[in-house]
């Protein structure tokens, strides 16, 4: 049973940066897909950045493309999200998610049901 623990959230001003981390235990990510999601109260959980551990192929939502970078350390079983040029609209609870396979077709990468394991979330607040 995999366990995911996020860290690195906090409060920053617009234009600032944060780096989120997700530690995975009880599972070797190997050739699995992992994604960062975020959610604000009253809205659906949104997939924003995904990575396939097999070849480190990445994919991003348009809302974060060019500002956020997802990366992975398979040796340490860690997932990261570097967030630059943060905007108030980025304020949300951020979750990491792990699929126990490569998600296919790729169009399902941002679908909540594609992921078997989730962290508890870390809050990011961006003030203007």
């Amino acid at each position: 049973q995999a366990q995911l623990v996020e860290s690195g959230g906090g409060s920053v001003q617009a234009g600032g940066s944060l780096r989120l981390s997700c530690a995975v235990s009880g599972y070797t990510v190997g050739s699995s897909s992992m994604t960062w999601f975020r959610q604000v109260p009253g809205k659906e959980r949104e997939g924003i950045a995904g990575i396939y551990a097999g070849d480190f192929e990445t994919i991003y939502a348009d809302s974060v493309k060019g500002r956020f970078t997802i990366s992975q350390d398979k040796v340490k079983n860690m997932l990261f999200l570097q967030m630059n040029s943060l905007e108030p609209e980025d304020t949300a609870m951020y979750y990491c998610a792990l699929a126990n396979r490569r998600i296919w077709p790729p169009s399902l990468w941002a679908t909540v049901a594609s992921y078997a394991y989730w962290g508890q979330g870390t809050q990011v607040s961006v003030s203007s």
Side-chain angles (χ1 to χ4, degrees), residues 4-47:
L4 283 64
V5 178
E6 302 94 337
S7 61
S11 298
V12 297
Q13 289 190 327
S17 298
L18 283 173
R19 188 187 192 218
L20 304 185
S21 299
C22 174
V24 181
S25 60
Y27 188 92
T28 301
V29 297
S31 298
S32 298
S33 295
M34 293 194 72
T35 289
W36 286 98
F37 285 78
R38 66 186 182 187
Q39 188 171 25
V40 298
K43 292 192 176 181
E44 293 185 354
R45 197 165 290 192
E46 172 193 20

Side-chain angles (χ1 to χ4, degrees), residues 3-100:
Q3 290 189 325
L4 283 64
V5 178
E6 302 94 337
S7 61
S11 298
V12 297
Q13 289 190 327
S17 298
L18 283 173
R19 188 187 192 218
L20 304 185
S21 299
C22 174
V24 181
S25 60
Y27 188 92
T28 301
V29 297
S31 298
S32 298
S33 295
M34 293 194 72
T35 289
W36 286 98
F37 285 78
R38 66 186 182 187
Q39 188 171 25
V40 298
K43 292 192 176 181
E44 293 185 354
R45 197 165 290 192
E46 172 193 20
I48 57 171
I51 188 167
Y52 169 54
D55 58 11
F56 298 109
E57 181 179 359
T58 59
I59 188 166
Y60 297 92
D62 289 343
S63 57
V64 305
K65 198 174 296 182
R67 301 187 298 121
F68 292 9
T69 303
I70 187 171
S71 61
Q72 191 170 37
D73 184 330
K74 288 203 289 186
V75 174
K76 296 182 179 179
N77 243 17
M78 297 281 294
L79 183 72
F80 304 100
L81 185 68
Q82 179 65 42
M83 304 187 295
N84 298 328
S85 302
L86 283 161
E87 304 168 349
E89 293 74 21
D90 295 317
T91 296
M93 185 71 78
Y94 283 70
Y95 300 89
C96 63
L98 168 67
N100 53 8

